[in-house]
């Protein structure tokens, strides 16, 4: 009886009512009831927000009926305001009614979160701020996570999306698309992606327009007035993304890409986060989470060395951890020793995911001049590089060298420290060295090294091994001939893990 009465009350409630205070005995909206109960208990908005663990902006929007309450939120209100299951019942009915009335499908396409997700607190906090709608009253918040291959862009996007959903945001659904770029040769066409998205939103095939512009407009129309999070994973370039953006506030977008996506920031005001490798403790923790405490505690120092040899890169760490798990008598120490030759690190693999292939997918997107510069930089004895040294090594002008270094930085195949200084992280340097040994003739390599040596002799070569921003590595460096002569395989498809 009680349930029936509440449902009947719920069906009379307007989701978008404007009256702030319900008249006595009159049907009230969820928001009006919530505010009345809060005030009855003498709680401020901030106090209620803190007790239900939602942010203040969210509670305020629900109270003013600008945002529909999620069932999660309603359950928390019931608990904190001590009103049985009143709010939960109303929120459940509202959700069902809204779905039925509008044929809303409520997509929930997010990948599962990683049970062993580590670190990234600063980035998660930043993403929280960007995605919470109350910060962005106009326009659609867009966050772009970029960084090198395998650094954890997708994992971070998914983790952040689940956090927002758990906090009651994006209650109308979440869309997730793998855009399959770059380097796979099969980057998804926005035209096809929109068809999948519209289908996922319940648009019957016969109503999906045959024209890209119209598809994009239909997508924006269907999302209008909704609170939907769109995750566009592994984007190739800005052009691929633009037709896939919602147009109205309430929605938000997270893009991941190996590219810095030049153009997107100026076109749509995206907030960019560049993801670095994990810190030392986080990297060791990730290995530990895979191999287990017993195995890690048997030789914690070896775990730390293994993490260093993986360059603290999540993909390499996961592959190393899985290697240890699947080779029962091959502990972290043995694998760390096997990985002293830098080229061996690139062969870390699990199933069809190979570290080297992840780098291939970025490398093959480079134009020939940039690709040549990358390979030759791998021959330098130093990790630290500036335009003058790069120009000398490649035998090109300094302006051209600057441009090529910027191209490499944009593809995250080199790390940029400031306007003039770059660094080639160990794994990428080993990868570049292997490519040079295979693709560039011995005489070309010798000439490049001679030009680099001449330059070093003539000027202050920034690449001294002890350069201020270059950490001393705790393991022996490989000899010049440590690389294999095996050709870096050309991947048939992107090798994201
Ligand atoms: N913070 C993290 N905690 C635990 N595991 C992580 C973390 N970041 C990444 N990983 C794991 O590392 C691997 C690589 O991460 P992910 O696929 O997210 O990288 P990516 O940057 O998206 O790679 P790509 O450039 O190929 O798209 C995955 O197995 C992922 O689960
Ligand atoms: Mg990814």
């Amino acid at each position: 009886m009680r349930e029936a009465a509440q449902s009947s009350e719920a069906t009379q409630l307007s989701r978008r009512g404007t009256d702030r205070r319900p008249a006595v005995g009159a049907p009230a909206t969820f928001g009006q009831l919530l505010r009345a109960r809060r005030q009855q208990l003498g709680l401020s908005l901030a106090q209620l927000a803190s007790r239900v663990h939602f942010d203040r902006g969210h509670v305020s929007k629900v109270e003013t009926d600008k945002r529909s309450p999620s069932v999660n939120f309603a359950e928390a209100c019931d608990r904190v305001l001590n009103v049985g299951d009143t709010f939960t019942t109303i929120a459940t009915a509202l959700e069902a009614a809204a779905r039925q009335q509008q044929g809303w499908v409520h997509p929930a396409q997010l990948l599962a979160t990683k049970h062993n997700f580590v670190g990234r607190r600063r980035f998660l906090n930043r993403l929280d701020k960007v995605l919470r709608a109350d910060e962005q009253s106009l326009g659609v918040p867009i966050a772009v996570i970029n960084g090198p291959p395998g650094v954890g862009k997708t994992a971070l996007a998914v983790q952040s999306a689940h956090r927002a959903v758990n906090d009651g945001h994006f209650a109308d659904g979440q869309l997730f698309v793998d855009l399959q770029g770059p380097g796979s040769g099969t980057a998804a066409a926005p035209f096809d992606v929109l068809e999948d998205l519209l289908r996922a939103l319940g648009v019957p095939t016969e109503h999906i327009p045959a024209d890209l512009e119209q598809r994009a407009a239909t997508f924006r129309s269907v999302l209008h007035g909704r609170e939907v999070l769109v995750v566009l994973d592994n984007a190739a370039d800005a052009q691929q993304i633009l037709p896939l953006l919602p147009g109205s506030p309430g929605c938000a977008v997270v893009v991941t890409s190996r590219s810095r996506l030049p153009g997107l920031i100026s076109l749509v005001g995206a907030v960019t986060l560049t993801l670095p490798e994990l810190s030392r403790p986080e990297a060791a923790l990730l290995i530990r989470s895979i191999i287990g405490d017993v195995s890690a505690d048997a030789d914690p120092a070896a775990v730390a060395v293994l993490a260093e040899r993986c360059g603290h890169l999540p993909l390499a760490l996961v592959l190393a951890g899985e290697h240890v798990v699947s080779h029962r008598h091959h502990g972290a120490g043995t694998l760390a020793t096997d990985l002293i030759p830098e080229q061996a690190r690139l062969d870390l693999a699990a199933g069809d995911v190979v570290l080297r292939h992840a780098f291939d997918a970025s490398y093959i997107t480079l134009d020939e001049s940039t690709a040549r510069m990358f390979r030759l930089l791998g021959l330098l004895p130093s990790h630290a590089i500036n335009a003058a040294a790069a120009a000398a090594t490649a035998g090109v002008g300094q302006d051209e060298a600057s441009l090529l270094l910027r191209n490499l930085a944009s593809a995250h195949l080199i790390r940029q420290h400031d306007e003039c200084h770059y660094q080639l992280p160990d794994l990428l340097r080993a990868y570049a060295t292997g490519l040079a040994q295979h693709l560039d003739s011995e005489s070309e390599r010798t000439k490049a090294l001679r030009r680099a040596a001449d330059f070093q002799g003539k000027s202050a070569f920034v690449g001294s091994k002890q350069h201020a921003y270059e950490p001393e590595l705790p393991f022996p460096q490989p000899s010049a001939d440590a690389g294999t002569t095996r050709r870096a395989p050309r991947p048939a498809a992107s090798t994201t893990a």
Side-chain angles (χ1 to χ4, degrees), residues 114 116-118 148-155 258 286 314-315 318 496-497:
K114 296 278 162 197
N116 61 343
F117 189 86
V118 301
V151 80
K153 301 176 292 294
T154 303
R258 290 181 180 187
L286 178 49
L315 177 59
V318 167
T496 50

Side-chain angles (χ1 to χ4, degrees), residues 148-162:
V151 80
K153 301 176 292 294
T154 303
L156 175 67
V158 169
Q159 189 75 11
S160 151
H162 278 286

Side-chain angles (χ1 to χ4, degrees), residues 113-120 124 145-159 178 181-182 233-235 256-259 275 278 282 285-287 289-290 313-319 322 353 358-359 361-362 494-497:
T113 42
K114 296 278 162 197
H115 71 283
N116 61 343
F117 189 86
V118 301
R120 306 306 199 192
L124 287 168
I145 304 169
N146 63 30
V151 80
K153 301 176 292 294
T154 303
L156 175 67
V158 169
Q159 189 75 11
D178 180 359
D233 189 37
N234 204 12
T256 81
S257 180
R258 290 181 180 187
S259 157
L275 201 58
L278 292 172
E282 288 166 354
L285 193 60
L286 178 49
I287 293 184
S289 74
I290 298 168
L313 184 77
L315 177 59
L317 296 163
V318 167
L319 295 175
E322 288 179 3
V353 180
F359 294 161
S362 287
S494 174
T495 52
T496 50

